[in-house]
Amino acid sequence: MSGTVIIGTGQAGVECAFALRSRGYDGAITLVGDDPDLPYQRPPLSKEVLKSRGASGWMPLRGAPLYPAQRVDLRLGVRADRILRSERRVILSDGGDLGFEHLILATGARNRIPAIAGLATLGAQGLRNAADARALVTALEGATQVAILGAGFIGLETAAALFDSRCTVTVFESGSRVMGRAVSPEVSDWFLRFHRHRGTRITLGATIAAAEPGMLTLGNGDRCGFDVLLIAAGVQPDVGLAAQAGLSVSNGIETDALHRTSDPRIFSIGDCALAPHPFHAGPVRLESVANAAEQGRRVAAVLAGQAVPGQTVPWFWSTQGSARLQIAGLGAPGDDTHLAGDLSDISDDASLVARRYRNGQCVAVETVNAAPIHMEARRTLLPATSGPRSRTPTPDA
Ligand SMILES: Cc1cc2nc3c(=O)[nH]c(=O)nc-3n(C[C@H](O)[C@H](O)[C@H](O)COP(=O)(O)OP(=O)(O)OC[C@H]3O[C@@H](n4cnc5c(N)ncnc54)[C@H](O)[C@@H]3O)c2cc1C
């Protein structure tokens, strides 16, 4: 029994496969994914792909010829159904099975469907994969009313992709802020005004009582018609395969600092993995391209028997119209925010910097259209638990 099997053809799985080869790993590598498309980047799906109505923005993670060239056995449209840990075998949906020496679970996350009467039977649209994006592009043809459930990154990026369209876009957010989990109240408020100024209707604290074809009924009795309904209410980690195999799972597949699950032959990386991180007090599950790629490279180093690169400052981005939001570090509710820039400027040329402080230490920097400051923060932020203060100066330092 030899070789490495990777489940999941997203950012984490693909990065890991190629990093293994670039580190000289010589064993068999099999990359299994239930998505039938050649592995691709997800970020453009809610940005360029929607804005261009599918005409551009589709970006493969690697060119098709590179998989055989690097001896990565790519199995697309195949689901891993079961892991037989004692036999070190994975049972596949195509009737086959794969033996492994090491197994890497890079199963990502799935859209969360809110519990709203009628929603499940509506066949409402999410936006997680290329098939979702193609379906959304088709649904948008001729649409004039778009309703979006959720004002997180995906919901707002979709709304922004429709800024200059003939669609009336209404976003319903159950929380009291847009991107409430991701950014400071100040930056959240800036984006709320930025969107509203460009025509996006945003209802905060919204409850949806029922969904039926073409119509939403709110908790207060208001009704909202739609041609297209997008569910953008966040994701949940895909832990089903790991749980079936008896691995420790909670809000993700639990791993140690080297991404090993409770079975030392099985690793987990990317959106599905709950791992210790020096920039977070306890284990954390990060949903970002940067994290998925970094964890993929780290596991490759572990399996190649080489020094494992350290974990870097977590970072995220979101592009909404002319506003490029970049976040370095991990903020939390209760952090103090120090702003630089004019909060009242919501023009296309606006620029904003929000530094978030905890116990006097800068723990996160949020920027809008200020890439050099974002890059500096990624170089200079230090873990909150490490004792020394961040080299990012306080405003009055
Ligand atoms: C529309 C969109 C826009 C985004 N924009 C940004 C952005 O601007 N910036 C940013 O940093 N991040 C962004 N993200 C998030 C980022 O794309 C993810 O964090 C990243 O792709 C996670 O990669 P992953 O490999 O961990 O998981 P995924 O990309 O989810 O890949 C997991 C794969 O595993 C497959 N799978 C699951 N179970 C099985 C099984 N049993 N057998 C076989 N296959 C299985 C899944 O179908 C999936 O294809 C965006 C995500 C989406 C959906």
Side-chain angles (χ1 to χ4, degrees):
M1 213 163 289
S2 67
T4 297
V5 172
I6 304 172
I7 309 297
T9 52
Q11 187 81 43
V14 171
E15 188 78 27
C16 187
F18 283 88
L20 276 167
R21 281 290 178 253
S22 69
R23 286 181 173 275
Y25 178 87
D26 201 36
I29 301 174
T30 311
L31 186 52
V32 178
D34 56 5
D35 193 324
D37 285 292
L38 183 71
Y40 51 87
Q41 300 185 21
R42 293 186 197 276
L45 300 181
S46 51
K47 306 176 184 74
E48 294 90 331
V49 168
L50 283 190
K51 193 169 163 48
S52 69
R53 300 296 184 276
S56 61
W58 308 98
M59 291 168 71
L61 285 167
R62 298 286 192 288
L66 286 179
Y67 292 87
Q70 292 295 317
R71 291 183 294 123
V72 174
D73 180 3
L74 182 61
R75 311 272 186 101
L76 296 176
V78 178
R79 186 166 178 80
D81 280 337
R82 252 170 345 123
I83 301 168
L84 305 180
R85 279 167 56 194
S86 57
E87 299 176 28
R88 288 195 224 153
R89 244 169 4 109
V90 182
I91 308 298
L92 304 177
S93 60
D94 64 0
D97 65 291
L98 292 166
F100 64 83
E101 188 181 357
H102 291 106
L103 177 66
I104 299 169
L105 300 178
T107 49
R110 309 238 154 205
N111 288 323
R112 199 175 69 75
I113 308 295
I116 295 172
L119 194 60
T121 53
L122 213 56
Q125 174 81 51
L127 181 51
R128 181 70 195 174
N129 55 36
D132 291 338
R134 286 191 289 265
L136 186 53
V137 165
T138 302
L140 285 170
E141 280 170 22
T144 57
Q145 297 186 89
V146 176
I148 299 175
L149 302 187
F153 289 147
I154 306 287
L156 292 187
E157 287 173 5
T158 301
L162 298 171
F163 273 163
D164 299 322
S165 73
R166 59 183 177 164
C167 294
T168 301
V169 179
T170 310
V171 180
F172 296 101
E173 167 58 47
S174 60
S176 57
R177 299 194 281 121
V178 303
M179 298 185 290
R181 287 187 308 131
V183 297
S184 60
E186 292 80 359
V187 170
S188 170
D189 181 62
W190 187 89
F191 271 94
L192 179 66
R193 287 182 290 112
F194 176 84
H195 270 271
R196 283 182 169 162
H197 184 70
R198 286 158 180 78
T200 309
R201 300 176 179 180
I202 300 180
T203 303
L204 298 175
T207 52
I208 309 291
E212 55 194 295
M215 188 63 70
L216 291 174
T217 304
L218 275 66
N220 63 5
D222 286 355
R223 284 159 73 80
C224 174
F226 63 84
D227 307 311
V228 176
L229 174 63
L230 176 71
I231 301 178
V235 296
Q236 52 195 36
D238 199 331
V239 300
L241 190 62
Q244 167 276 318
L247 301 173
S248 298
V249 301
S250 48
N251 176 34
I253 303 170
E254 296 177 0
T255 75
D256 65 12
L258 290 178
H259 313 292
R260 275 182 301 241
T261 67
S262 47
D263 181 331
R265 289 189 180 278
I266 305 180
F267 295 74
S268 183
I269 53 177
D271 280 16
C272 63
L274 183 67
H277 196 292
F279 283 80
H280 195 266
V284 64
R285 202 173 59 72
L286 298 173
E287 295 165 13
S288 74
V289 164
N291 176 67
E294 179 170 283
Q295 292 189 344
R297 291 192 294 268
R298 281 167 53 83
V299 167
V302 173
L303 295 191
Q306 297 172 2
V308 180
Q311 285 166 289
T312 55
V313 176
W315 62 277
F316 312 83
W317 84 92
S318 173
T319 306
Q320 299 171 31
S322 59
R324 182 157 175 87
L325 168 68
Q326 293 173 297
I327 305 166
L330 297 174
D335 292 343
D336 294 327
T337 306
H338 296 268
L339 286 165
D342 179 4
L343 258 188
S344 67
D345 180 6
I346 50 169
S347 72
D348 286 348
D349 299 325
S351 171
L352 195 65
V353 179
R355 292 188 171 85
R356 303 183 72 178
Y357 288 84
R358 201 175 306 148
N359 302 322
Q361 178 181 348
C362 184
V363 292
V365 178
E366 300 161 3
T367 56
V368 178
N369 299 334
I373 292 173
H374 168 75
M375 294 308 294
E376 187 199 352
R378 277 168 52 187
R379 283 193 304 273
T380 56
L381 283 175
L382 293 172
T385 50
S386 70
R389 296 283 166 89
S390 160
R391 290 191 295 271
T392 303
T394 56
D396 51 354

